[in-house]
Amino acid sequence: MSTQQTMKAVGLYQYLHAEHPESLLDVVIEKPVPTGKDLLVKVQAISVNPVDVKVRAPKAKKETSPRILGWDVAGVVEQTGPDCTLFQPGDEVYYAGSITRPGGNSEFHLVDERIVGFKPAALNFAEAAALPLTAITAWEALFDRLGLSRSKENNTGKTILIIGAAGGVGSIAVQLAKYAGLTVIGTASRPESAAWVKEMGADQIINHNDSFVPQLNAIGLPHVDYIFCLNSMEQHWQNIADAIAPQGKICSIVETDQLLNLTLLKNKSATFVWEFMFTRSMFQTDDMIEQHKLLNEVAQLVDTGILRTTLTEKLTPMNAASLRQAHARIEAGRTVGKIVLTSPE
């Protein structure tokens, strides 16, 4: 066990544009000590999500101590808190952490064991780090919020439209929906993103910049039973309302500053529901352990070849310069799959 008292991390004091040299800084902070149900994890790889970019986005607020971002980690358990029962030192793990606590862009990281899974054995740390936040989001959206059965027989003939299918969440949602037996239509607007969505297993591709219904009609679908929105609610809301089947279900992960007209769904008795994968950790819900369970199930699906990592780009080392580069790429809104950071062996 390491005896060091400090650790390297990447943090911010000011909320600045990603290209600004002080938007993310290399810092040295105190190494944390696990208590309660916390694990102390030696971080081996991290990945970057749109939530990192949203939190870092320019605003007037300033921090007196460095704020550490990062909500995707793969690593090795270094030490366990006195109340831990699920893991022991040496276990290889992956998880997405809690948005209400310091993030994982650091040498070591504290995380509640109830939201941690065993790393897929078939993946290295970089490949595993691409998965947790997006896998939790997609799993909860499909199986908890939309109420999809995980039995293929129950989903025969059912269709789902995934808006923004080439991104991190979309890449895993396409795979999970196919695993559950649905016909999957993904949206993409560029040849490279369309090719990626097909590679993930989508049955059909439509362009999210054009009206949905004519494109669905062209592939023989009058409407879809489920819609999972991962991009721009205000842009797509009318198309969503038009494309959803009577008594269909819609889930979104993207907030909007505009008021949405829910009355558009009334005549169809359609359901609208949110998914936010930090809800369980943020509110310490009684079922927090479900994220531990689902990450373990995702690992089994990876290890049996049903799911694959969504890693598309790897940056080294894990430092401020690499993270600024990753943030800028995600901010541009044209990434496919996931960007992961590791340090050289």
Side-chain angles (χ1 to χ4, degrees):
M1 187 183 304
S2 174
T3 56
Q4 69 184 78
Q5 302 304 309
T6 60
M7 64 178 183
K8 295 177 183 177
V10 176
L12 62 83
Y13 291 95
Q14 303 175 74
Y15 295 85
L16 304 164
H17 290 285
E19 290 82 0
H20 195 290
E22 294 186 11
S23 61
L24 293 166
L25 298 167
D26 293 309
V27 297
V28 175
I29 60 175
E30 188 176 344
K31 180 183 174 184
V33 176
T35 59
K37 292 182 178 294
D38 277 352
L39 306 173
L40 180 67
V41 175
K42 176 76 170 77
V43 176
Q44 302 290 333
I46 55 176
S47 75
V48 185
N49 294 282
V51 65
D52 301 60
V53 172
K54 289 176 186 175
V55 173
R56 196 221 72 250
K59 48 182 145 316
K61 181 182 178 185
K62 293 191 176 182
E63 304 290 345
T64 55
S65 58
R67 182 172 184 183
I68 313 301
L69 309 181
W71 292 284
D72 259 335
V73 172
V76 180
V77 176
E78 174 96 354
Q79 191 179 346
T80 60
D83 300 331
C84 289
T85 60
L86 303 174
F87 298 93
Q88 57 189 13
D91 286 339
E92 297 184 350
V93 296
Y94 75 140
Y95 60 89
S98 168
I99 201 163
T100 60
R101 303 183 66 180
N105 294 345
S106 53
E107 276 189 280
F108 296 90
H109 186 233
L110 284 184
V111 61
D112 189 305
E113 69 169 0
R114 291 171 292 177
I115 57 172
V116 176
F118 288 100
K119 180 182 78 65
L123 301 184
N124 61 33
F125 287 108
E127 294 165 335
L131 290 176
L133 186 145
T134 55
I136 294 168
T137 301
W139 187 287
E140 290 184 347
L142 298 180
F143 303 125
D144 296 344
R145 314 301 175 219
L146 293 174
L148 284 174
S149 170
R150 289 170 55 203
S151 168
K152 290 187 176 183
E153 295 74 21
N154 294 335
N155 295 321
T156 302
K158 297 288 188 183
T159 53
I160 186 168
L161 175 64
I162 299 174
I163 301 170
V169 176
S171 299
I172 198 76
V174 168
Q175 296 182 68
L176 284 173
K178 283 302 295 179
Y179 158 68
L182 283 86
T183 296
V184 179
I185 304 95
T187 79
S189 60
R190 295 174 292 132
E192 58 268 37
S193 54
W196 173 257
V197 175
K198 288 289 278 188
E199 190 180 332
M200 291 299 101
D203 298 287
Q204 301 283 350
I205 308 289
I206 67 171
N207 190 321
H208 45 240
N209 292 327
D210 300 326
S211 295
F212 292 177
V213 170
Q215 295 182 84
L216 292 171
N217 288 340
I219 57 177
L221 296 174
H223 45 60
V224 289
D225 300 300
Y226 303 95
I227 296 177
F228 187 20
C229 183
L230 308 172
N231 176 267
S232 187
M233 287 273 284
E234 53 268 26
Q235 177 186 342
H236 301 304
W237 186 243
Q238 183 66 56
N239 274 322
I240 287 170
D242 292 342
I244 194 66
Q247 303 182 87
K249 295 183 178 182
I250 303 156
C251 180
S252 178
I253 67 168
V254 284
E255 66 275 13
T256 173
D257 293 331
Q258 298 182 15
L259 290 175
L260 298 178
N261 182 8
L262 282 174
T263 304
L264 293 177
L265 308 181
K266 179 180 180 294
N267 287 350
K268 290 182 175 179
S269 298
T271 298
F272 175 77
V273 64
W274 291 108
E275 160 58 17
F276 185 54
M277 61 78 53
F278 291 120
T279 297
R280 282 170 161 149
S281 57
M282 177 181 282
F283 294 99
Q284 296 281 299
T285 60
D286 291 340
D287 66 349
M288 267 180 72
I289 193 73
E290 290 303 314
Q291 291 194 346
H292 165 72
K293 294 175 182 176
L294 79 82
L295 284 172
N296 285 345
E297 288 197 59
V298 166
Q300 290 176 348
L301 293 174
V302 170
D303 288 341
T304 53
I306 294 169
L307 297 181
R308 52 170 282 187
T309 182
T310 53
L311 165 65
T312 51
E313 185 174 358
K314 189 161 66 170
L315 302 176
T316 58
M318 288 191 289
N319 66 8
S322 295
L323 272 166
R324 287 195 298 269
Q325 181 183 345
H327 275 238
R329 292 280 311 284
I330 290 174
E331 220 161 38
R334 296 172 70 84
T335 54
V336 170
K338 291 296 295 292
I339 301 172
V340 171
L341 282 74
T342 63
S343 288
E345 293 296 330

